[in-house]
Amino acid sequence: KSKKSCPHLPEASRKIKSSPDFKDIPIIALTASVMKEEIPDILKNCDSYLQKPVSRNVLLNELAKFLPHEPG
């Protein structure tokens, strides 16, 4: 069994996504390190993930995928 970088992420994201009031809120996991085999598990209850360090441009581009905005 692989060591999880954030053991509470699956539980927290699962609770958020199972709530009718919050299920449509995007979750972007932020992790210091992730193994390729962990990515499918992260994406089961998260809409995306970013690996640290995250540049400003990468963060803004990822947020733009989930937030209404005018392309510019």
Side-chain angles (χ1 to χ4, degrees):
K1 190 172 181 177
S2 66
K3 182 180 177 184
K4 298 293 180 189
S5 55
C6 180
H8 302 294
L9 177 62
E11 180 183 348
S13 60
R14 191 171 22 258
K15 285 182 178 182
I16 292 168
K17 290 298 186 180
S18 67
S19 168
D21 293 330
F22 302 117
K23 67 178 180 152
D24 294 326
I25 294 174
I27 298 174
I28 301 172
L30 180 61
T31 180
S33 65
V34 65
M35 304 294 280
K36 284 186 179 185
E37 60 269 10
E38 292 177 324
I39 294 171
D41 288 334
I42 291 171
L43 295 176
K44 282 181 187 175
N45 292 298
C46 296
D47 298 286
S48 184
Y49 78 96
L50 295 173
Q51 191 168 344
K52 295 179 190 177
V54 178
S55 72
R56 181 178 186 269
N57 285 341
V58 168
L59 176 61
L60 293 176
N61 285 332
E62 196 63 28
L63 291 172
K65 294 177 185 178
F66 300 100
L67 299 174
H69 67 285
E70 293 285 328

